[in-house]
Amino acid sequence: MYAASSAVTAPTRTYRPHPHGSGPYLDPSPSAGAVAGLPGGRNRRAQGMGTQPLSGRLDLSGPQGAQLRAAVASVHRICPEFNPVQVLRRGGKSVLLLGTTGRMSAVAKCLLDHSPAWVESFRQEISAYRAFVRHRPPVRVPRLVAADPDNCTLVVERMPGRVAALARHPSEAPPRADVRAALAAICRVNAWRPPAGLFDAPLDYAGRIGRYHDLGLLTDRDLGDLQKLLHGLAHTQGQFCHGDALLNNVLLSPAGPVLLDWDNAGWYLPGYDLATLWTVLGDAPVARRHISQLAQAAGTPARDAFLVNLMLVLTREIRRYETAVQRTMREPAPATTAGAGHPGAVAAGEEQRLLLRRLHDDAQMARRAVRAAVGTR
């Protein structure tokens, strides 16, 4: 939820083949005698979330300030004591404001794009924070200060800490201690059993698989294989997941990890959060191998659920970055030094293409794992 107003340029991503042993399908033990395992595995947010006192002045003047004035007015309707100090992020979908409420630092989030999908997502996030007031999850989360689902405005406490990764897909392997801390927090969330009816199931697996197939993102063979695995998981108990287990949604502090952005929280097939984390750790083969071990430790159903989740998460990421690359290619270069021919723009485009290439390699690896899993059922 927290983000910086300034852009973060990641270093150029180098393409590296998958090292052995970090794929999504564990190498079988000699006694298992089943399928051969797969070989190998393979900015969004600057934080500034320390405990230093807040200072500064928010500029609400001029045409550019009209949007901010409307956001501040929306916050003041539910939290009159909120004193805005700084814009953490302003994008096309929402704006984040850093400020204070009395002696406490707080972050206000206001939705700018009120299309139905974004409104629904925002309301789900508010619902999660409201649920956490009475039923605390086994990890640290920001405390709810005020919320208005009708106007899509949310105020939560500002949590100290540093973000575990600045980018959605880190271009370099994060420190192992940071990955371990984030993974431990995610596993505690996955082991939690909140009261029935508190959270929904955000993902329609059969519908998502069918839609990706209709879009040409999954082959006919993929469709059949995933449907077979899904059929075998019909009676598998769901697992509570964060739903967006990215390292840039984790704050690290001496008091323990803090998880942000709960708008996708709910019940999934087991291993959804682990599949998400595996997907974004392309440059951390040791972490990937550990995640695969955790995901498949409970046996065949856990393995199959993890692989279904992994195929869907990878396909979503491929679609996301293919769209980004296509948009970059379509945009005309402006008549300024910041045009498409500018070194920064070229580097960003190359970064996206290398990431997309890696995601396609990961999807091929996951596809082979799915086919091998179908063959063992």
Side-chain angles (χ1 to χ4, degrees):
M1 177 174 172
Y2 310 141
S5 55
S6 58
V8 178
T9 302
T12 300
R13 182 184 299 272
T14 56
Y15 179 77
R16 290 187 285 274
H18 301 296
H20 179 73
S22 58
Y25 199 152
L26 297 180
D27 293 336
S29 63
S31 59
V35 189
L38 289 177
R42 76 141 203 111
N43 151 0
R44 195 186 90 173
R45 196 184 294 273
Q47 185 61 37
M49 292 299 298
T51 56
Q52 69 273 15
L54 300 178
S55 62
R57 178 178 178 273
L58 191 65
D59 184 7
L60 302 177
S61 62
Q64 296 297 322
Q67 199 175 59
L68 291 180
R69 291 195 298 273
V72 170
S74 180
V75 174
H76 281 163
R77 279 194 291 270
I78 61 171
C79 188
E81 66 274 20
F82 181 79
N83 178 36
V85 173
Q86 179 185 347
V87 176
L88 285 177
R89 174 175 59 80
R90 176 169 54 182
K93 307 301 181 184
S94 63
V95 60
L96 293 178
L97 301 172
L98 177 63
T100 59
T101 57
R103 296 183 178 181
M104 182 181 71
S105 297
V107 174
K109 181 177 181 179
C110 301
L111 191 64
L112 302 178
D113 181 351
H114 286 262
S115 58
W118 287 102
V119 168
E120 177 62 23
S121 177
F122 201 100
R123 289 175 177 171
Q124 288 174 354
E125 184 173 12
I126 290 176
S127 178
Y129 279 111
R130 284 179 169 174
F132 295 156
V133 172
R134 296 189 61 184
H135 304 280
R136 299 293 294 179
V139 294
R140 300 179 69 222
V141 298
R143 182 172 63 85
L144 177 66
V145 176
D148 180 2
D150 293 330
N151 292 313
C152 294
T153 305
L154 173 67
V155 183
V156 298
E157 69 173 321
R158 176 209 193 199
M159 302 293 284
R162 60 180 177 82
V163 72
L166 293 176
R168 183 182 184 91
H169 291 262
S171 59
E172 296 181 357
R176 291 186 181 181
D178 292 356
V179 175
R180 285 196 300 268
L183 183 58
I186 290 167
C187 287
R188 288 197 297 274
V189 169
N190 296 157
W192 187 42
R193 305 294 296 182
L198 205 59
F199 292 92
D200 297 325
L203 179 56
D204 173 9
Y205 280 88
R208 182 69 60 85
I209 291 170
R211 185 163 73 253
Y212 284 164
H213 176 259
D214 292 342
L215 291 171
L217 300 170
L218 296 175
T219 66
D220 292 344
R221 175 74 181 272
D222 295 334
L223 177 66
D225 287 344
L226 290 173
Q227 287 176 338
K228 289 177 184 176
L229 293 185
L230 202 59
H231 178 74
L233 296 167
H235 301 291
T236 300
Q237 187 178 40
Q239 181 183 73
F240 182 77
C241 293
H242 176 276
D244 203 14
L246 307 169
L247 290 179
N248 56 0
N249 281 334
V250 180
L251 296 181
L252 301 174
S253 73
V258 181
L259 267 60
L260 310 172
D261 286 357
W262 290 86
D263 50 304
N264 292 304
W267 297 98
Y268 294 79
L269 286 177
Y272 186 85
D273 281 345
L274 295 180
T276 300
L277 195 57
W278 189 97
T279 296
V280 300
L281 286 174
D283 288 295
V286 174
R288 277 189 160 184
R289 184 162 53 246
H290 182 46
I291 290 170
S292 293
Q293 292 168 349
L294 287 175
Q296 303 174 64
T300 299
R303 176 204 68 184
D304 292 351
F306 174 67
L307 291 176
V308 170
N309 285 320
L310 189 59
M311 278 296 292
L312 292 183
V313 172
L314 283 167
T315 304
R316 179 197 66 196
E317 294 298 292
I318 288 172
R319 184 185 184 193
R320 176 190 183 99
Y321 285 96
E322 281 184 343
T323 301
V325 169
Q326 291 169 1
R327 185 185 304 118
T328 301
M329 295 176 63
R330 286 196 307 264
E331 289 176 350
T336 66
T337 57
H342 188 267
V346 173
E350 183 64 16
E351 169 83 6
Q352 290 177 341
R353 284 188 288 272
L354 288 174
L355 174 56
L356 190 56
R357 178 181 174 186
R358 172 163 289 168
L359 289 171
H360 277 291
D361 285 351
D362 285 345
Q364 284 297 106
M365 184 166 49
R367 180 173 285 111
R368 292 192 296 269
V370 167
R371 292 175 181 175
V374 169
T376 64
R377 293 194 62 82

